[in-house]
Each structure stands twice: as structure tokens, then as C-alpha cells.
Amino acid sequence: MGQESSTPVDESTPPETLSARTLDAVASYIREGHAKKIVLMTGAGLSTAAGIPDFRSPETGLYANLARLNLPYPEAVFDISYFRTNPLPFYTLAHELYPGEYSPTISHCFIRLLSDKGLLLKLFTQNIDCLERAAGVPADRIIEAHGSFARQRCIECQSPYPDDLMKQAISRRKVPRCCHNGCNGLVKPDIVFFGEALPEAFHLNRMLPGAADLAIIIGTSLTVQPFASLPSYCSEGVPRLLLNLTRVGGLGSRADDVLVLGDIDAGVRRLASAIGWLEELEALFESCNPSQLKKRDELNHKSHDDMLNDEVAKITEDIDNSLQISEQYSKALQEDLSLPERESTQSAMSKDRTVSQSGRTAGVPTSPKDDQDVPTLSDTREKDDADRDHDASIVTDEKPQPGESAAGKATL
């Protein structure tokens, strides 16, 4: 146990326990009562449908979005040494992840349903969001391998810190300090940081998958040890079901491994439907998400005409918003495009005024048509006194030709 091949099992190899390597075969195995001690192992993918980002996705993951915290490296937010010197980035992040901001997914509720039916031996989770607890999974059935926000303590004297004060500090983005006997040490949730040991409960239960008759692995990359080795502790012949976006670890290398790749919540619903639990699961999901239930009740109490009017109003609002944005964009674009033209006109007018003033200084007669061409100073000096007034009169009576500005320069 603990190590196994990563080579996929040959398709011609028959399963030892299941009737087939399919989701329906796993559902039959549960429905027929063969699975009475189910172990679950879950990761961040379990909670992404709740709106919580996972850690390692290149563009949407938590680590990829921590640049705004000015960290020396993304993982520093969970580094105990860095926390001791600068705890503020962690508490900025904690404000967004703290329990109460998110609701359990259908997959969390499925784990609760297994517990309610007495089939859950243990849930091992890497998640720190406490959504399993929010779904109603009993605390004694959960091993939070990387800790969670459920408890907190001083990192110096290890004294517990009150839940209400912790919630208050996080809501205000403040760094809590120990209030026990004037300690004043930094307080942090019982989340396992880099440089800290895993909880004792994990080590005491690490071999428990060996007693399971079914393992379900959901939403994990299985890259972080020692959690990643948990599936390998399952006995040979015990079915292992993976619900994940991709194949991970050594799963798929045994004859009774079943891989259901794709959307996790969709896979859970398929499993529940095949067992015959879907209606019960959806009811449980609604009870864990009052907002969803309220929305459904509102829809049920609305007539067809009311819903149609709401939809028309929404479409109208969307169109109005789009038009407003388009108008604002067009106005800004027009201003941007007209700016060079205004600057060119202003420059030309300035040059005109300079020429006009020069003409006055040299004694060149001016007329109300100062915006039109006038002779330059050098021109007037070349003419004799008798012809000067006559020439200036001719020039000031001329009109600009198409393609010329008042200053006699091409504008196009």
C-alpha cells in the first residue's frame, strides 16, 4: 500500500468486484447494499461550483490571482514564516474565503446524504472552507487534512481564540491578537501553513481507507503529499470512483477503478439518479441553499404573464444598458478623434494671429477679414510705398481655396 502503478488498466481486464467499470455499476453496488463503509477524499474542485476558486488553475486559480497582495511569491500567503512578519495578506484573503460567504454545492450535499444513510465511514478533505460542515456532515466524520476555519488559536501560546472575535476581525480585515494573559501573539485559523505539521487526526486515520468497501475521490489533483497517497491504501478489489475533470494519481490502474471525467456536480447527479436518490438529494440541496428555495418559490407563485413581463423588462434593461454604453463609447471616441483636429485648428488660428500682428507692426493695412491670407512682413518690405496699399487690398480680399485653411495650409 502507498505506491501503485500509474499505468491505466487494460480494457480487456475484467473487474473483480463490480459488474462493469461504469458509473451504473457503482450505483448498483451501492443500491444493493455492498457499500456500507464509504470513504471520500475531496479537494478544491468540490467547491468551485460554490464560487470558491481552486488553487492551481493557471488563470482562475487562487495563486494566479494573488498578485494584488504584493507577495514575494503566491504561496507566501500560506507560509508561516511570512505570516509572522506580515499577516495582513492572509487576512485580506480570509475576508473573501471565510465561512458564511458561500453555500454548499450539490456534491457537498451528496456527502451529507451518505452520512444520513449511515454509509459514510470518513471524509478526508483538503478544503479549508467548511462547506461540508455547512451541508450538515457531522464533524466527527470529517478529517480536515489541511485544517480549516472552524477553529483558531494563538501561534505563540496556542490558546484558543473566540469565534465571535475572529469573525469580527476578519469582517473588518483586521489582524487578531491573542488576548490571553497579555500574550498579544498573532492569531490564525487552524489552517495548515507551509512549514507546519498536518493535524494529528489525519495521521491517526491515515490508514482508514484500508477498511473501506468503496472509495469516492472528488475534485482533487492528488499532487500534495501525504494526502495524495490516500487512495492507494484502499484494499485490492475495493472499487474506487473518481469524479474529476481529469485523471489523476494512480486512479484507473486497478480493475475496479471507475473514472467519470467532466463536470463534478453533473457526475454526482448522475450517480444519485442511478442509485435512485436524486429527488432526495435535490431536496437536501435546496434546504442547504435557502436562496435557491426562495427563488424557486417566487417563480412558482408568478403567473406565466408575470414571468414573461419580467423577461421583457430584463431584456429591455439589458438593451438600455448596452445603448448607454454604446453612446458613452461613441462620445468618447468622437472626442478622441476630434482632438487632433481641434489642436490643428487652434494652431492655425494662433499662426494667423501672429501673422496679423506682424502685418500691423510693419504698417500693413488690415481689414475685418483677418482670418484670411495677409502678406508677410518680408513681402511688404519689398514693395514700394506707392503699391503697398494696393497689393495688401488684393490679398485680403482673396478667399481660401478648397483644401486650404485660413492660414493657407493644406488641411487634408
Side-chain angles (χ1 to χ4, degrees), residues 75 88 108 116 127 150 172 251 269 288 341 356 386:
E75 292 84 356
L88 190 58
H108 291 102
D116 289 351
N127 297 340
R172 296 177 179 177
L251 295 169
R269 280 189 166 95
C288 291
E341 182 178 348
S356 180

Side-chain angles (χ1 to χ4, degrees), residues 119-131:
L119 303 179
L120 180 62
L121 177 60
K122 197 69 73 175
L123 163 64
F124 291 85
T125 182
Q126 296 170 285
N127 297 340
I128 61 176
D129 52 43
C130 295
L131 288 183

Side-chain angles (χ1 to χ4, degrees), residues 67-362:
R68 59 192 171 86
L69 298 181
N70 296 319
L71 297 166
Y73 50 94
E75 292 84 356
V77 74
F78 293 118
D79 188 297
I80 190 61
S81 298
Y82 185 80
F83 178 83
R84 288 180 180 277
T85 60
N86 185 11
L88 190 58
F90 170 77
Y91 278 103
T92 301
L93 180 64
H95 178 80
E96 301 176 14
L97 298 180
Y98 197 68
E101 296 296 320
Y102 302 93
S103 299
T105 67
I106 196 83
S107 298
H108 291 102
C109 293
F110 179 76
I111 301 171
R112 156 76 183 278
L113 192 57
L114 289 175
S115 177
D116 289 351
K117 294 180 177 296
L119 303 179
L120 180 62
L121 177 60
K122 197 69 73 175
L123 163 64
F124 291 85
T125 182
Q126 296 170 285
N127 297 340
I128 61 176
D129 52 43
C130 295
L131 288 183
E132 302 88 0
R133 294 170 182 259
V137 179
D140 63 356
R141 295 289 171 181
I142 305 173
I143 301 295
E144 291 160 330
H146 297 163
S148 74
F149 282 103
R151 295 169 299 275
Q152 54 279 324
R153 67 188 67 248
C154 173
I155 65 173
E156 302 298 342
C157 70
Q158 301 301 310
S159 297
Y161 191 74
D163 292 345
D164 57 336
L165 295 181
M166 188 66 172
K167 184 175 182 179
Q168 186 179 84
I170 289 181
S171 67
R172 296 177 179 177
R173 293 184 174 87
K174 300 293 185 181
V175 177
R177 293 276 182 173
C178 180
C179 50
H180 181 69
N181 293 335
C183 172
N184 201 41
L186 288 169
V187 172
K188 123 179 144 52
D190 283 347
I191 296 170
V192 179
F193 278 24
F194 295 109
E196 292 186 312
L198 268 60
E200 183 181 8
F202 175 81
H203 295 291
L204 291 176
N205 291 275
R206 184 175 177 179
M207 306 299 293
L208 197 58
D213 47 29
L214 174 64
I216 303 178
I217 300 94
I218 306 177
T220 174
S221 62
L222 290 182
T223 57
V224 179
Q225 294 290 355
F227 189 94
S229 64
L230 289 177
S232 66
Y233 288 104
C234 294
S235 301
E236 290 289 341
V238 169
R240 301 185 302 180
L241 170 64
L242 174 67
L243 297 168
N244 210 38
L245 288 177
T246 59
R247 177 177 179 263
V248 293
L251 295 169
S253 62
R254 297 186 183 182
D256 288 283
D257 286 353
V258 176
L259 278 55
V260 179
L261 306 182
D263 182 82
I264 291 169
D265 283 356
V268 166
R269 280 189 166 95
R270 283 179 54 200
L271 176 60
S273 178
I275 300 171
W277 295 352
L278 185 57
E279 185 175 345
E280 191 176 357
L281 177 61
E282 295 288 0
L284 181 58
F285 176 55
E286 289 179 350
S287 70
C288 291
N289 291 268
S291 60
Q292 295 282 342
L293 187 60
K294 181 180 179 181
K295 183 177 180 181
R296 190 194 68 176
D297 288 342
E298 289 175 352
L299 289 175
N300 288 341
H301 284 89
K302 285 185 176 181
S303 67
H304 177 73
D305 288 344
D306 288 337
M307 288 189 287
L308 185 60
N309 289 335
D310 287 347
E311 186 66 23
V312 170
K314 183 178 183 303
I315 293 173
T316 302
E317 182 182 358
D318 290 342
I319 292 174
D320 289 342
N321 289 337
S322 298
L323 288 174
Q324 184 178 5
I325 292 172
S326 297
E327 289 174 359
Q328 292 172 349
Y329 177 77
S330 297
K331 184 178 179 180
L333 187 61
Q334 288 172 358
E335 289 178 354
D336 288 342
L337 291 174
S338 63
L339 183 59
E341 182 178 348
R342 289 203 304 269
E343 290 177 345
S344 177
T345 302
Q346 290 171 358
S347 176
M349 292 175 65
S350 176
K351 186 180 294 184
D352 240 4
R353 285 194 295 269
T354 301
V355 171
S356 180
Q357 289 295 331
S358 299
R360 291 190 184 99
T361 303

